[in-house]
Amino acid sequence: MHDPVRTREGDFARPESHFRDTITADGSSGYAAEPGRYHLYVANACPWAHRTILVRKLKGLEDVIGLTIADPIVGEQGWAFTDGPGHTRDPINGFAYLMDAYRATDPRYAGHATTPTLWDTKTKRIVNNESSDVVRMLEREFDAWAKHPELDLYPADLRAEIDAVNARVYSRVNNGVYRAGFAASQAVYDRAFDALFAELDTLEARLASRRYLVGDRITEADWRLWVTLVRFDSVYHGHFKCNLRRIVDYPSLWGFTRELYQVPGVAETVDMDHIKRHYYGSHRMLNPLGIVARGPAIDFLAPHGRDRV
């Protein structure tokens, strides 16, 4: 895969999302919510894409928004669409690579192709490639066709607190594991490592006295944290050298991770084979031989005990 983008100091720099158009239920944005019109290009391995896969599943939008899963191994040309276990060729446009969608939308595009990518089959262009935007669109704008329109992951009375939690979790945990894993100097790694585990300690204390991160029900904030937690012990702990503690060593975070995994439909969105093969097989700058670790053994279905919190 392409080498990660870094700052002059050697810190991992996540590129800004390039396409930020919006789908609205009434079409006022220029992109009207319609069943069958939009298609998600995703990678099961990618935590950012996993957010959108989850909301599509939880809202019951499988028959409304199409989905194509990329090959978990990323080569020099980026995410590819091939036939294999859990991934397929692109049935919508016949793109060989996700980058084809970016160049079809903007021939001058010079950045990386990232997942998730939300494609409009009507205008034949990318609508949006920012996961936080796509999550909100799927969660709110397609309720006319959703099987679970009542599900509200971003309730109005909790939005300020959700936004605050999201910002901290993104910086220190979601992106923090990447900042540690892709650090180009010891000092940069140390700063990311310390911030990551300080935040995990804070989250552990928070979840020791409350069942969910915000309010008394699962919200967007919980899912945004969870996509990192579910990958942590299998890849981030070893592959990204985030090895002070495992998630299974945190009683509250581990119970929280198991509870959300056991929400109906969620386990179907977790492909640990894709997750491990992607990280260990694609990041050759970190793992030159591409050998995929076989462990650890993790029982996400063990009783979580969170109903007592």
Side-chain angles (χ1 to χ4, degrees):
M1 69 174 293
H2 300 288
D3 287 339
V5 178
R6 295 186 177 97
T7 66
R8 183 175 300 176
E9 293 74 26
D11 198 353
F12 171 64
R14 186 169 297 282
E16 293 289 328
S17 298
H18 185 74
F19 300 99
R20 301 295 295 270
D21 288 322
T22 303
I23 299 168
T24 51
D26 62 6
S28 58
S29 64
Y31 292 91
E34 301 172 21
R37 175 174 172 175
Y38 301 99
H39 196 84
L40 269 173
Y41 290 117
V42 300
N44 277 339
C46 172
W48 318 101
H50 198 172
R51 300 174 176 183
T52 64
I53 297 169
L54 276 167
V55 175
R56 177 178 176 267
K57 168 68 74 172
L58 294 170
K59 291 289 288 190
L61 292 170
E62 296 96 322
D63 297 331
V64 179
I65 307 290
L67 186 78
T68 296
I69 298 169
D71 191 314
I73 303 298
V74 177
E76 285 301 312
Q77 298 191 63
W79 297 104
F81 299 113
T82 64
D83 287 323
H87 57 91
T88 64
R89 295 181 184 273
D90 171 26
I92 302 300
N93 298 292
F95 293 145
Y97 298 95
L98 184 57
M99 182 58 77
D100 296 338
Y102 284 67
R103 291 174 177 153
T105 305
D106 180 0
R108 297 172 297 177
Y109 182 75
H112 293 170
T114 61
T115 70
T117 295
L118 184 60
W119 178 265
D120 179 14
T121 64
K122 190 172 184 178
T123 61
K124 299 189 182 306
R125 60 181 293 110
I126 294 170
V127 178
N128 198 294
N129 72 322
E130 170 52 53
S131 65
S132 58
D133 293 348
V134 176
V135 161
R136 299 268 174 88
M137 286 183 257
L138 297 183
E139 202 242 316
R140 302 176 65 83
E141 307 301 331
F142 292 86
D143 280 352
W145 306 279
K147 294 176 183 175
H148 304 291
E150 74 287 350
L151 180 66
D152 186 359
L153 298 174
Y154 191 55
D157 60 322
L158 298 177
R159 288 179 186 175
E161 189 176 2
I162 289 173
D163 289 344
V165 170
N166 283 348
R168 191 175 178 98
V169 166
Y170 168 78
S171 174
R172 298 185 171 210
V173 181
N174 299 142
N175 203 43
V177 294
Y178 285 85
R179 291 181 62 223
F182 289 143
S185 76
Q186 187 69 50
V188 168
Y189 165 75
D190 288 347
R191 285 197 298 271
F193 184 96
D194 290 346
L196 167 64
F197 283 97
E199 186 62 20
L200 288 177
D201 288 345
T202 297
L203 292 165
E204 171 69 12
R206 185 183 184 100
L207 289 170
S209 60
R210 57 197 301 169
R211 188 165 180 176
Y212 307 116
L213 289 176
V214 180
D216 59 359
R217 53 184 158 157
I218 299 173
T219 68
E220 174 187 295
D222 298 301
W223 291 121
R224 285 175 59 135
L225 171 62
W226 181 83
V227 294
T228 298
L229 299 183
V230 79
R231 289 163 169 76
F232 197 97
D233 291 2
S234 294
V235 291
Y236 303 142
H237 180 270
H239 184 59
F240 278 174
K241 300 183 287 293
C242 299
N243 58 359
L244 182 63
R245 283 180 289 275
R246 304 163 300 167
I247 298 304
V248 298
D249 298 323
Y250 291 94
S252 298
L253 281 169
W254 176 222
F256 171 86
T257 302
R258 300 199 306 279
E259 178 180 3
L260 268 62
Y261 183 92
Q262 293 169 30
V263 169
V266 168
E268 300 167 28
T269 73
V270 179
D271 190 326
M272 199 56 71
D273 172 64
H274 275 215
I275 289 169
K276 291 171 69 172
R277 284 201 290 127
H278 166 69
Y279 284 95
Y280 286 106
S282 300
H283 301 157
R284 293 304 178 98
M285 75 294 286
L286 302 180
N287 187 33
L289 297 180
I291 295 170
V292 179
R294 294 185 64 182
I298 304 175
D299 186 3
F300 290 109
L301 295 177
H304 55 74
R306 296 294 294 169
D307 49 329
R308 296 190 294 272
V309 178

Short mmCIF file of all heavy atoms in Angstrom, two decimals, residues 68-69 81-84 87-92 94-95:
data_model
loop_
_atom_site.label_atom_id
_atom_site.label_comp_id
_atom_site.label_asym_id
_atom_site.label_seq_id
_atom_site.Cartn_x
_atom_site.Cartn_y
_atom_site.Cartn_z
N THR A 68 -20.81 -2.79 -1.65
CA THR A 68 -19.78 -3.62 -2.25
C THR A 68 -18.56 -3.59 -1.34
O THR A 68 -18.10 -2.51 -0.93
CB THR A 68 -19.38 -3.13 -3.66
OG1 THR A 68 -20.51 -3.25 -4.53
CG2 THR A 68 -18.24 -3.96 -4.22
N ILE A 69 -18.02 -4.76 -1.01
CA ILE A 69 -16.90 -4.90 -0.09
C ILE A 69 -15.61 -5.14 -0.86
O ILE A 69 -15.55 -6.00 -1.74
CB ILE A 69 -17.15 -6.04 0.90
CG1 ILE A 69 -18.40 -5.74 1.74
CG2 ILE A 69 -15.94 -6.27 1.80
CD1 ILE A 69 -18.88 -6.92 2.57
N PHE A 81 -11.36 -4.31 -6.13
CA PHE A 81 -12.58 -5.11 -6.14
C PHE A 81 -12.28 -6.41 -6.87
O PHE A 81 -12.08 -6.43 -8.09
CB PHE A 81 -13.72 -4.35 -6.81
CG PHE A 81 -14.07 -3.06 -6.11
CD1 PHE A 81 -13.83 -1.84 -6.72
CD2 PHE A 81 -14.60 -3.07 -4.83
CE1 PHE A 81 -14.14 -0.65 -6.07
CE2 PHE A 81 -14.91 -1.89 -4.17
CZ PHE A 81 -14.67 -0.67 -4.80
N THR A 82 -12.20 -7.48 -6.10
CA THR A 82 -11.90 -8.80 -6.64
C THR A 82 -12.84 -9.82 -6.04
O THR A 82 -13.47 -9.57 -5.00
CB THR A 82 -10.45 -9.20 -6.31
OG1 THR A 82 -10.31 -9.33 -4.88
CG2 THR A 82 -9.45 -8.18 -6.83
N ASP A 83 -12.94 -10.96 -6.66
CA ASP A 83 -13.74 -12.05 -6.10
C ASP A 83 -12.92 -12.81 -5.07
O ASP A 83 -11.76 -13.17 -5.31
CB ASP A 83 -14.17 -13.02 -7.21
CG ASP A 83 -15.25 -12.43 -8.10
OD1 ASP A 83 -16.12 -11.71 -7.57
OD2 ASP A 83 -15.21 -12.66 -9.32
N GLY A 84 -13.52 -13.05 -3.91
CA GLY A 84 -12.84 -13.80 -2.87
C GLY A 84 -13.74 -13.94 -1.66
O GLY A 84 -14.88 -13.45 -1.66
N HIS A 87 -15.62 -10.76 -0.24
CA HIS A 87 -15.50 -9.56 -1.08
C HIS A 87 -15.78 -9.93 -2.54
O HIS A 87 -15.68 -11.10 -2.93
CB HIS A 87 -14.12 -8.91 -0.92
CG HIS A 87 -12.96 -9.81 -1.23
ND1 HIS A 87 -12.40 -9.91 -2.48
CD2 HIS A 87 -12.25 -10.66 -0.44
CE1 HIS A 87 -11.38 -10.76 -2.46
NE2 HIS A 87 -11.28 -11.24 -1.22
N THR A 88 -16.15 -8.93 -3.33
CA THR A 88 -16.59 -9.18 -4.70
C THR A 88 -16.07 -8.11 -5.66
O THR A 88 -15.56 -7.07 -5.25
CB THR A 88 -18.13 -9.18 -4.80
OG1 THR A 88 -18.62 -7.86 -4.49
CG2 THR A 88 -18.76 -10.18 -3.86
N ARG A 89 -16.25 -8.40 -6.93
CA ARG A 89 -16.02 -7.38 -7.94
C ARG A 89 -17.12 -6.32 -7.82
O ARG A 89 -18.15 -6.55 -7.18
CB ARG A 89 -16.04 -8.01 -9.34
CG ARG A 89 -14.89 -8.99 -9.58
CD ARG A 89 -14.95 -9.57 -10.98
NE ARG A 89 -13.92 -10.59 -11.16
CZ ARG A 89 -12.66 -10.33 -11.54
NH1 ARG A 89 -12.31 -9.06 -11.76
NH2 ARG A 89 -11.79 -11.29 -11.67
N ASP A 90 -16.90 -5.18 -8.44
CA ASP A 90 -17.86 -4.09 -8.39
C ASP A 90 -19.00 -4.35 -9.37
O ASP A 90 -18.79 -4.32 -10.59
CB ASP A 90 -17.16 -2.77 -8.73
CG ASP A 90 -18.11 -1.62 -8.93
OD1 ASP A 90 -19.22 -1.66 -8.35
OD2 ASP A 90 -17.75 -0.67 -9.66
N PRO A 91 -20.24 -4.58 -8.86
CA PRO A 91 -21.36 -4.86 -9.76
C PRO A 91 -22.04 -3.61 -10.31
O PRO A 91 -22.91 -3.71 -11.18
CB PRO A 91 -22.33 -5.63 -8.84
CG PRO A 91 -22.11 -4.98 -7.50
CD PRO A 91 -20.64 -4.66 -7.44
N ILE A 92 -21.67 -2.45 -9.83
CA ILE A 92 -22.33 -1.21 -10.22
C ILE A 92 -21.66 -0.55 -11.42
O ILE A 92 -22.30 -0.22 -12.43
CB ILE A 92 -22.38 -0.22 -9.03
CG1 ILE A 92 -23.10 -0.84 -7.85
CG2 ILE A 92 -23.05 1.10 -9.44
CD1 ILE A 92 -24.53 -1.24 -8.13
N GLY A 94 -18.27 -1.66 -12.46
CA GLY A 94 -17.19 -2.48 -12.98
C GLY A 94 -15.82 -1.92 -12.67
O GLY A 94 -14.84 -2.26 -13.34
N PHE A 95 -15.73 -1.07 -11.66
CA PHE A 95 -14.44 -0.51 -11.27
C PHE A 95 -13.52 -1.63 -10.77
O PHE A 95 -13.92 -2.47 -9.98
CB PHE A 95 -14.59 0.53 -10.15
CG PHE A 95 -15.31 1.79 -10.56
CD1 PHE A 95 -16.14 2.44 -9.65
CD2 PHE A 95 -15.16 2.34 -11.82
CE1 PHE A 95 -16.80 3.61 -10.00
CE2 PHE A 95 -15.82 3.50 -12.18
CZ PHE A 95 -16.64 4.15 -11.27
#
